[in-house]
Amino acid sequence: MSTFTFLLEGLRNLRTTGTLTRSSTALCLAALDRIDFSTARTIVELGAGDGVITEHILKRLHPDGKVIAFEVSPELCDDMRAIGDPRLVVAQDSAENIREWLDRIGADKADHIVSAIPFAALPKDLGRAIVKAAKDNLRSGGCYNQVHYSLKTKGYYEEAFGKVETTRVWKNLPPAWVLYCNK
Ligand SMILES: C[S@@+](CC[C@H](N)C(=O)[O-])C[C@H]1O[C@@H](n2cnc3c(N)ncnc32)[C@H](O)[C@@H]1O
C-alpha cells in the first residue's frame, strides 16, 4: 500500500486507525528492538495496518516461524494477504481474541508481541482487555513492545507488566514513542 492510500484509509477510519501515516523504517526497527529472532517462533502483531512492521518481522523471522497479524480493517487485511508469505497469518479480528488465533496455529503462547493499536482512541475497557489478553498469552521472558504517539495510556502497560521502559523515535511523522515491557 502506498503512503497515499494509507492516508485515505486513515481519513476514512481515523477513530480506529489513530494516524494518517504508516510507521517509518526507524519506528518499525525500534518496535522490533529486544526481540530475539534467533529463538522466536511465534510473534503476534496487534494493529498491523497494511503490514509495514510485519514485513520487517518476516525479513528476520525463522523459516519455521509464524506471525499472527491482527487488523480490523478489511482493506488493510487485503494488503497484508498480498504479501503472500506462508508464515504470515492475517487475523481479520479484534486483538482481544489472541487466544483463539494462537490455538488455530497450535501455539501455546506468543514468544513476543508487537502492537501499534491506538489505545488512546479506543474505549478504556477494550484497551485494557486487549493488553490483558496480550499479557496472558505471552510466554514468560517474552517482550511486549507498543508503538504510540503519546504516553497517555502508559498506565495500561504498567498495570499489566509493572515496569515499562520508553524510547522516543524522532525519525517518524509525527515523532513517536515505543514502550517496552517484559513478562
Ligand atoms: C496506528 S495504525 C498502525 C499501522 C501499522 N502497524 C503501522 O505501524 O504503520 C493502528 C492500526 O490498528 C488497527 N486497530 C485498531 N483497533 C484494533 C483492534 N481492536 N484490533 C486489531 N487492530 C486494531 C487500526 O485499524 C490500524 O490499522
Side-chain angles (χ1 to χ4, degrees):
M1 178 180 265
S2 70
T3 302
F4 181 66
T5 42
F6 190 90
L7 177 97
L8 286 183
E9 178 64 21
L11 285 171
R12 261 200 308 264
N13 294 310
L14 191 55
R15 184 116 191 105
T16 49
T17 307
T19 179
L20 297 176
T21 55
R22 63 215 290 261
S23 295
S24 65
T25 300
L27 184 52
C28 292
L29 295 178
L32 301 184
D33 205 19
R34 305 178 185 204
I35 292 183
D36 179 0
F37 282 94
S38 67
T39 54
R41 293 296 179 270
T42 305
I43 295 188
V44 171
E45 186 185 357
L46 314 178
D50 64 352
V52 65
I53 298 176
T54 324
E55 293 196 84
H56 285 275
I57 295 172
L58 288 166
K59 271 186 210 156
R60 293 159 71 181
L61 185 65
H62 191 277
D64 297 332
K66 286 274 183 212
V67 52
I68 303 174
F70 281 86
E71 176 50 57
V72 288
S73 154
E75 290 79 16
L76 295 175
C77 286
D78 284 344
D79 286 314
M80 279 199 285
R81 289 186 194 101
I83 295 172
D85 188 311
R87 298 169 299 166
L88 171 59
V89 177
V90 177
Q92 190 174 323
D93 197 355
S94 186
E96 68 271 30
N97 299 318
I98 296 178
R99 183 65 260 152
E100 183 188 325
W101 287 83
L102 285 170
D103 287 342
R104 284 193 197 198
I105 64 160
D108 179 29
K109 301 267 183 193
D111 289 314
H112 303 287
I113 299 179
V114 180
S115 167
I117 290 187
F119 286 115
L122 301 190
K124 277 187 187 156
D125 288 351
L126 176 60
R128 288 206 164 92
I130 293 173
V131 175
K132 183 179 183 307
K135 189 198 168 189
D136 289 348
N137 290 290
L138 180 62
R139 74 163 166 79
S140 272
C143 60
Y144 175 94
N145 295 353
Q146 173 72 47
V147 170
H148 269 317
Y149 296 110
S150 82
L151 295 179
K152 203 172 152 191
T153 57
K154 190 175 172 215
Y156 290 15
Y157 320 108
E158 287 168 339
E159 254 171 45
F161 293 98
K163 191 174 165 209
V164 179
E165 290 178 54
T166 59
T167 193
R168 195 85 163 110
V169 181
W170 294 102
K171 280 189 183 171
N172 190 73
L173 195 68
W177 294 93
V178 182
L179 297 87
Y180 301 105
C181 315
N182 260 85
K183 181 167 169 183

